[in-house]
Amino acid sequence: MKDLFSRTLQTTIIFLIIGGILALSFGGFFSSVTNRFTGGFVFTQEWFATRYQAIQEFLAAPRDIASLRNRNTELQKQVSDLQAQVINLQQRVNETEILAALVDFSRTNPENTYKAASVIGRDPSPFLHYIIINRGSNDGILRGMPVVTSEGLVGRVDAVIADAARVQLITDPASSVNVHLKNANTDAMLIGSVTGDISLDLISQDATVQSGDLILTSGLGGGFPPDLIIGQVVNVHKRAAELFQQSTVQPAVDFGRLQIVLVIINFRAVDIAPLVPTTTP
Amino acid sequence: MRNIIAFPLLGLAVILQSAIVSQFSLLAGYADLVLVILAAWALQDGVTTAFHWAFLASIMVGFSSHLPWFIYMAGYFSVVFLALLLQRRIWQAPLLAMFSVTFLGTLVMHLLSYAYLRVAGDPLPFRDTMGLITLPSLLLNLLLSIPLYSFMRDIAHWVFPPMEEV
């Protein structure tokens, strides 16, 4: 009984001492001692933790690099796929814009029937300004048919096979188009050159031609329908000693960026060669 | 038998010439892929079919061009003839021979084209033609001749394998 009492008292005293120490420590009375103790503890734990993390990184790093590389490759592939999609969509947007412009053009000129064609090539010789389109006799294309874009006149069909045709541009050195200057109310002849520039010749000396005058096809000669836009006058060269005036022309069509063109399929070019008088010996 | 590679190779060259090469112009001139391929082919050792290739190429190019096929045939045969002539003279410097054949071949081809178009009535000023078409085309052909010579050498080794491989 005495032992039991003394043991209970002992336990109570120990609890009281521990509780008192805890109460004093929570109250901040042992802060210098606890700081020193916890500081050492934290330092030791930090030392072990950093070493452990270093070892863990060392052991796990190759696996991470490999997985990162794989992920990087996947992402790069995704990026290249998305870039290809963007390029594809941009191309489609460009084509849609061109087609929309061509549809507008055909609506504003309902008297003509058009067949759209893509430009698939150019003449292999740099001396010639011809393009190759992906529509041929199977699509009703015939030699001599005019070719236009929404901006204006491009040229005329020169040769046709079943599924393709070759078009002579108005910039070709051998090309000549009878034109009408709207503001000056006079006719002239549009000719191409080796550089791809176009110019006007055979302008009457009496005509008053100014920079900016609009140039349209006249329809004379039967090679092209009238009133197709060609471009604007840039400079006029008028010399009293010459029979005619000449002028340089800014074409309405950008011949370097031709992608889709329209062939006027209800126009038949008239061959006036038999009507041209020939000298008989 | 391996010579039938001429059909797909020259066909592809004509397509590339029409669709891509002719878009990359310098002033008003651009490279002639077919001409350079023929020059490189004719300069390879052991090649015996250069004139056949020239004939085939002239038919193919003549089909897509407004210039008649016989102008291309005359021009390409001249290129092959020049190549065979120079191959015997400067066989130790194949790149020099390649440059020479490309240079002279381009000049001959352009002179033939110019002469035909003048006879046909096209108003082509000689100075403009030389300055804006021929000289830029010469430069582009010479640039193109270096990689194409290596490419055609590999093709020639495949078509005509050296004796030890046989």
Side-chain angles (χ1 to χ4, degrees):
Chain A
M1 187 69 185
K2 192 178 176 182
D3 284 346
L4 183 65
F5 176 75
S6 65
R7 211 175 289 162
T8 307
L9 184 66
Q10 200 176 1
T11 307
T12 307
I13 290 168
I14 289 169
F15 269 86
L16 282 174
I17 290 169
I18 292 170
I21 290 169
L22 284 174
L24 288 171
S25 73
F26 288 137
F29 291 98
F30 295 139
S31 59
S32 59
V33 179
T34 52
N35 281 350
R36 205 167 288 171
F37 175 75
T38 53
F41 181 78
V42 169
F43 175 78
T44 309
Q45 186 168 342
E46 190 181 343
W47 190 89
F48 276 105
T50 51
R51 266 57 183 177
Y52 172 74
Q53 283 174 359
I55 291 166
Q56 191 187 27
E57 279 178 13
F58 176 74
L59 294 174
R63 192 172 61 230
D64 284 352
I65 287 174
S67 64
L68 283 171
R69 278 182 182 158
N70 286 339
R71 183 71 181 145
N72 193 28
T73 310
E74 285 173 12
L75 289 172
Q76 279 180 340
K77 188 177 176 303
Q78 277 185 9
V79 167
S80 58
D81 286 347
L82 289 170
Q83 281 176 337
Q85 277 184 17
V86 167
I87 291 168
N88 194 14
L89 289 172
Q90 280 176 341
Q91 196 176 354
R92 285 189 184 183
V93 167
N94 288 342
E95 282 181 5
T96 308
E97 284 174 356
I98 294 168
L99 287 171
L102 293 175
V103 168
D104 283 345
F105 176 77
S106 61
R107 279 181 185 157
T108 52
N109 297 274
E111 68 277 10
N112 293 323
T113 310
Y114 302 97
K115 179 71 78 177
S118 293
V119 178
I120 58 169
R122 288 175 182 269
D123 197 291
S125 172
F127 289 85
L128 304 166
H129 295 260
Y130 286 77
I131 56 171
I132 299 165
I133 58 173
N134 67 342
R135 292 278 182 270
S137 55
N138 286 346
D139 305 289
I141 308 293
L142 295 175
R143 190 173 186 271
M145 284 179 171
V147 180
V148 297
T149 66
S150 56
E151 284 90 25
L153 182 66
V154 170
R156 77 179 113 199
V157 176
D158 169 68
V160 186
I161 58 172
D163 292 314
R166 192 170 58 220
V167 177
Q168 183 190 35
L169 303 179
I170 57 171
T171 56
D172 187 72
S175 165
S176 58
V177 183
N178 289 311
V179 297
H180 181 75
L181 283 88
K182 199 169 184 183
N183 298 353
N185 196 23
T186 186
D187 289 335
M189 180 165 284
L190 184 93
I191 51 176
S193 69
V194 287
T195 57
D197 298 325
I198 52 176
S199 56
L200 287 181
D201 200 356
L202 304 181
I203 307 171
S204 168
Q205 286 283 16
D206 301 330
T208 308
V209 182
Q210 291 179 329
S211 175
D213 280 1
L214 189 64
I215 303 163
L216 305 168
T217 53
S218 66
L220 289 175
F224 293 96
D227 298 329
L228 294 174
I229 295 172
I230 290 177
Q232 287 182 311
V233 172
V234 178
N235 291 316
V236 184
H237 309 289
K238 184 174 184 177
R239 296 185 187 89
E242 293 184 354
L243 287 174
F244 299 101
Q245 300 179 66
Q246 288 93 30
S247 88
T248 52
V249 175
Q250 174 66 48
V253 177
D254 184 358
F255 290 95
R257 297 170 62 85
L258 284 175
Q259 291 181 353
I260 301 173
V261 294
L262 293 175
V263 184
I264 302 176
I265 57 172
N266 65 336
F267 180 83
R268 298 281 184 276
V270 180
D271 184 13
I272 60 167
L275 302 175
V276 177
T278 54
T279 53
T280 50
Chain B
M1 191 61 186
R2 289 181 176 180
N3 256 307
I4 57 169
I5 196 177
F7 288 90
L9 187 69
L10 289 174
L12 185 67
V14 173
I15 289 169
L16 288 176
Q17 172 70 37
S18 176
I20 297 173
V21 178
S22 57
Q23 309 275 355
F24 293 99
S25 59
L26 180 65
L27 296 178
Y30 43 81
D32 191 336
L33 187 66
V34 180
L35 183 145
V36 182
I37 282 178
L38 285 176
W41 178 249
L43 281 171
Q44 303 302 325
D45 290 333
V47 169
T48 55
T49 53
F51 280 108
H52 302 82
W53 281 50
F55 175 78
L56 190 62
S58 55
I59 298 292
M60 285 179 173
V61 179
F63 184 70
S64 63
S65 176
H66 178 70
L67 271 181
W69 59 271
F70 56 83
I71 296 295
Y72 286 106
M73 188 171 286
Y76 291 160
F77 271 46
S78 306
V79 169
V80 172
F81 179 73
L82 281 167
L84 296 178
L85 201 69
L86 285 174
Q87 191 190 27
R88 296 190 187 105
R89 296 218 177 356
I90 43 178
W91 56 273
Q92 283 181 321
L95 265 183
L96 180 63
M98 181 67 200
F99 284 142
S100 308
V101 172
T102 305
F103 184 84
L104 294 172
T106 306
L107 278 182
V108 169
M109 187 74 225
H110 279 223
L111 282 173
L112 284 169
S113 304
Y114 177 82
Y116 172 79
L117 290 170
R118 286 293 294 178
V119 169
D122 288 9
L124 295 172
F126 185 76
R127 187 174 289 183
D128 286 355
T129 307
M130 285 292 123
L132 298 170
I133 297 178
T134 302
L135 288 179
S137 299
L138 267 173
L139 179 66
L140 293 172
N141 281 350
L142 289 172
L143 286 174
L144 206 59
S145 65
I146 301 167
L148 279 179
Y149 183 81
S150 306
F151 175 71
M152 293 311 291
R153 188 177 53 198
D154 293 342
I155 296 283
H157 281 181
W158 182 73
V159 177
F160 300 105
M163 290 304 287
E164 59 268 24
E165 286 181 25
V166 177

